[in-house]
Amino acid sequence: MIIDINSDMGEGFGPYRIADDEALMAQISSANVACGYHAGDPVIMDRTIRLAREHGVDLGAHVSFPDRMGFGRRRMDMDLPELECHVLYQLGALAGLAGRAGHRITHMNPHGALGNLASSDPAIAAAVARATMAFDPEIAFLVLPGSALEQAALEMGGNVVRLFLADRGYLASGQLAPRSQPGAVIHDAEQVVARVMRVIRDRQVDTVDGQVIPMPVQSILVHSDTAGAVDLAQRLRKGITAGGATIAPLTRHI
């Protein structure tokens, strides 16, 4: 079995940093880089791209609503053609910097409110998928299993890699539990590792209301801004390899 470990990267701004990207990059196989909308700026993007290339880590675009003040976690209502332009703009910005650094975009992962809406709203999912396919039909969509974005991408002939968020609670629908709900964010590292190993082994997970749902995934996400993210990624690497799986970038799944 091949498993990808990915993380959201480059989520600082100017001189401000939100995570230890350098240490975490050594523990993952794919990176989702903020494109300046919820976090990041051209200099941070360039630095993160080069760091990913040095470590042999796949490069993804972590696209968002233009919401720096809210870290991309606030819904923004916009016409679908406008949304497509915003997604395409971010992909293009990351690709321009990546090309100069000798790296390339392999995947796309929507962040925060945009990610939640793309997972649940077929119209928004289709807009995100159209923009991504227009940019490059060969790159992969990181998706929640059974989500609207997975369906939209597959209907357009896109590549999908199914994602599990290591420290986030799930609803019975397969969507992420709202952060305001108890159990939406799991802070205990041992509990996070145990549930990830269960997902890999049994392809299922407990929901926040005690149900059990299928969770067939190829990629595990470690949030870089989670306290102890580097230690958590190290624990996951150790557990996954001890269980007989191989850790490899997203491109191994396309």
Side-chain angles (χ1 to χ4, degrees):
M1 180 181 294
I2 299 174
I3 296 293
D4 168 61
I5 299 178
N6 77 85
S7 188
D8 303 336
M9 294 289 205
E11 291 186 320
F13 186 74
Y16 302 101
R17 295 198 179 195
I18 199 170
D20 188 349
D21 285 359
E22 289 79 3
L24 189 55
M25 194 73 79
Q27 303 300 324
I28 65 174
S29 48
S30 299
N32 316 311
V33 179
C35 299
Y37 265 35
H38 72 281
D41 58 46
V43 174
I44 290 177
M45 291 165 67
D46 181 70
R47 181 170 64 236
T48 310
I49 290 165
R50 294 176 185 278
L51 192 62
R53 184 175 182 273
E54 290 170 8
H55 284 83
V57 168
D58 273 8
L59 177 67
H62 205 30
V63 301
S64 169
F65 285 128
D67 176 30
R68 283 181 180 160
M69 290 297 290
F71 199 64
R73 290 177 176 160
R74 300 181 294 192
R75 173 173 179 157
M76 299 182 70
D77 292 325
M78 57 179 66
D79 293 338
L80 296 180
E82 181 184 0
L83 176 59
E84 290 182 40
C85 290
H86 281 287
V87 172
L88 191 56
Y89 179 89
Q90 293 172 83
L91 287 162
L94 188 68
L97 290 166
R100 188 180 69 164
H103 212 2
R104 67 182 184 88
I105 295 178
T106 56
H107 63 281
M108 185 281 303
N109 180 24
H111 165 83
L114 179 58
N116 291 336
L117 287 168
S119 290
S120 60
D121 187 315
I124 291 178
V128 172
R130 281 193 298 269
T132 304
M133 294 294 286
F135 169 75
D136 182 353
E138 299 300 320
I139 69 173
F141 293 79
L142 268 178
V143 299
L144 297 183
S147 64
L149 183 58
E150 178 182 25
Q151 182 176 353
L154 290 174
E155 288 177 352
M156 296 181 194
N159 299 305
V160 299
V161 175
R162 296 172 181 88
L163 176 71
F164 179 70
L165 281 68
D167 64 347
R168 288 298 310 277
Y170 282 74
L171 302 174
S173 64
Q175 301 294 320
L176 297 178
R179 286 180 175 269
S180 59
Q181 184 171 340
V185 181
I186 302 165
H187 300 285
D188 182 81
E190 290 187 6
Q191 183 182 356
V192 171
V193 172
R195 72 199 295 263
V196 167
M197 297 312 298
R198 182 185 178 196
V199 164
I200 294 173
R201 182 184 65 248
D202 301 333
R203 302 291 183 104
Q204 60 185 23
V205 69
D206 292 329
T207 66
V208 292
D209 60 356
Q211 298 188 52
V212 178
I213 59 173
M215 189 60 57
V217 300
Q218 299 88 35
S219 183
I220 307 297
L221 173 67
V222 178
H223 282 113
S224 63
D225 59 343
T226 295
V230 176
D231 176 67
L232 178 59
Q234 290 172 336
R235 292 190 188 203
L236 287 173
R237 284 190 72 94
K238 183 177 180 180
I240 291 170
T241 54
T246 299
I247 296 172
L250 277 165
T251 46
R252 291 285 296 275
H253 299 283
I254 300 175

